[in-house]
Structures are given as structure tokens and as C-alpha cells.
Amino acid sequence: MSQQTFKSASKRYWRAFVPTMVVYLIATLAGSFYLKTFDVEPTWLQATVAVACTLPMLLFLFIQIRYFLETDEYNRMIQLKGFAIGSGITVGAIFLIGFLQMFHVIDRVEVFWFGPAFFIAYGISTYLLGGRQCL
Amino acid sequence: MKNIIKALRADRGWSQAALADQLGVSRQSVNAIETGKYDPSLPLAFSIARLFGKSIEEIFEDETATDAKLAAE
């Protein structure tokens, strides 16, 4: 069993999660405001804003995986099952929508929305597997 | 896997949260083990046995072995 207890793993998770989400919100709001308000050129500057918005999300994924490793074994099982089911649903949706687009059944879908869709699928799966306490 | 954790815990007057604290796991983990929804790992089973001063076999019932024994009889 890990030396980290469930409580200390949860505390560590929330201490890292909240500031990361605040940074993500600030980066996306400020980034989209900056790009919409001003006529931003060149492309590398737009790409830099996009990378700045993505970095907190990558950090969040790192925090989430660290929590999987540090939490107790039952929660780890529920979280990993939820993560796997959420990933499966999202990848399935990507294939389905990709083929529908390829065969001209539907119009273009913004790739961005697969990110939030994954987190929704992951959250719902985890809830169904372990109840509200496991979220 | 059936177990007598709920009874042992009740004997000592501990809540699920109190037992979870002593084991370093979440309350929902204790609940899942008590209700048989989750079988603990060997290290956690040893921690539970040590906490109650009993052996693993006294706390957890190996249903597969019991069924096999009954079938043999």
C-alpha cells in the first residue's frame, strides 16, 4: 500500500487542482479576448497564445495521474476505470464523427470539443462506478 | 468476498470514517469492502487483520474454497 494516505493525496490534489484551473481560466479568457479584440499577427503569436492555453490543461492531466498513483487502491480502481471508459467513449466518438465527416454525412465539427467531451464522459463514468464521493 | 469487518468495527464502536482514518483509506473504500463490492489487496487485508488483532482468514471468508469444500463433501 502507498505510504500516502487517501486524505493527504486528496489535499495535495486540491492544492494543485484549484490554482491550475484558475490559471487555465485566466489564460483562455485573456487569450481569446486578446485575439478577438486586436488584429493579432503573425501566426506564431497566435500559436503561442494557443500553447499558453493548453499548458495548464496538460498540467491538470499530470495532477490527475499523480492523484491516481497516490490515492487509496479502491479510489484508484474507480478513477482508472472511469478514465478508461471515458477515453473509450471519446475515441469511439472521434472515429464515428470522423467517418461521418469523411462520407459527407455531417459538416465539420470543431476538434476542440472532444477535450471537454472526454472530461464529461470520464466524470459520468466515475460517478456511475463509484458514486458522488469518487468524483 | 464475505467478511466480518462491519461486526468487528461495531464491537469497537468505530464509524466507517474512523476505521478508514486508521487504515489510511477513504470511507467509501471501507464501505465497498464491508459490503463485498471490493476485495482489498493483500497489504490492505494484512493492515485490517493487524488492526483487529486477527488473522486474514478469521476476517475474510474465501467463498470459492468454501464452495469447493462443500462440493467435495
Side-chain angles (χ1 to χ4, degrees):
Chain A
M1 192 165 46
S2 167
Q3 289 305 302
Q4 284 268 2
T5 64
F6 169 75
K7 278 189 176 172
S8 63
S10 294
K11 266 187 200 166
R12 197 171 178 211
Y13 173 77
W14 285 107
R15 270 203 303 263
F17 174 80
V18 174
T20 306
M21 282 299 106
V22 170
V23 171
Y24 175 70
L25 268 178
I26 292 169
T28 49
L29 292 175
S32 56
F33 174 78
Y34 177 65
L35 293 176
K36 274 183 186 169
T37 311
F38 307 103
D39 191 16
V40 180
E41 292 282 354
T43 309
W44 68 262
L45 196 58
Q46 295 169 326
T48 306
V49 173
V51 170
C53 293
T54 308
L55 286 176
M57 195 42 68
L58 292 176
L59 182 61
F60 164 71
L61 287 170
F62 167 77
I63 292 163
Q64 195 73 20
I65 291 165
R66 188 180 67 181
Y67 176 68
F68 292 164
L69 300 174
E70 289 179 350
T71 191
D72 70 64
E73 57 187 55
Y74 174 69
N75 268 293
R76 178 162 45 247
M77 182 194 73
I78 296 292
Q79 292 285 337
L80 287 173
K81 276 186 182 175
F83 201 84
I85 293 169
S87 303
I89 290 169
T90 312
V91 171
I94 288 170
F95 269 100
L96 176 65
I97 291 170
F99 280 123
L100 289 173
Q101 277 180 209
M102 208 184 285
F103 302 145
H104 308 289
V105 179
I106 58 167
D107 290 331
R108 246 181 104 241
V109 175
E110 290 289 340
V111 173
F112 172 81
W113 293 110
F114 288 111
F118 161 71
F119 286 110
I120 291 168
Y122 164 40
I124 291 172
S125 308
T126 307
Y127 175 80
L128 292 175
L129 289 165
R132 195 169 52 85
Q133 298 95 330
C134 288
L135 285 176
Chain B
M1 195 183 284
K2 280 182 186 169
N3 64 74
I4 56 164
I5 294 174
K6 193 175 180 180
L8 292 171
R9 183 173 59 75
D11 284 347
R12 286 157 180 77
W14 295 343
S15 65
Q16 285 187 340
L19 176 58
D21 270 349
Q22 293 184 73
L23 293 168
V25 299
S26 59
R27 192 199 57 75
Q28 55 267 37
S29 298
V30 169
N31 183 55
I33 294 167
E34 278 188 4
T35 53
K37 278 193 274 181
Y38 174 69
D39 294 333
S41 67
L42 206 48
L44 182 54
F46 271 117
S47 297
I48 293 167
R50 205 177 305 121
L51 191 65
F52 288 118
K54 292 189 177 293
S55 67
I56 288 178
E57 291 88 343
E58 286 176 292
I59 297 175
F60 295 95
E61 185 192 328
D62 183 356
E63 289 170 85
T64 322
T66 311
D67 291 346
K69 201 175 169 183
L70 285 172
E73 286 170 3

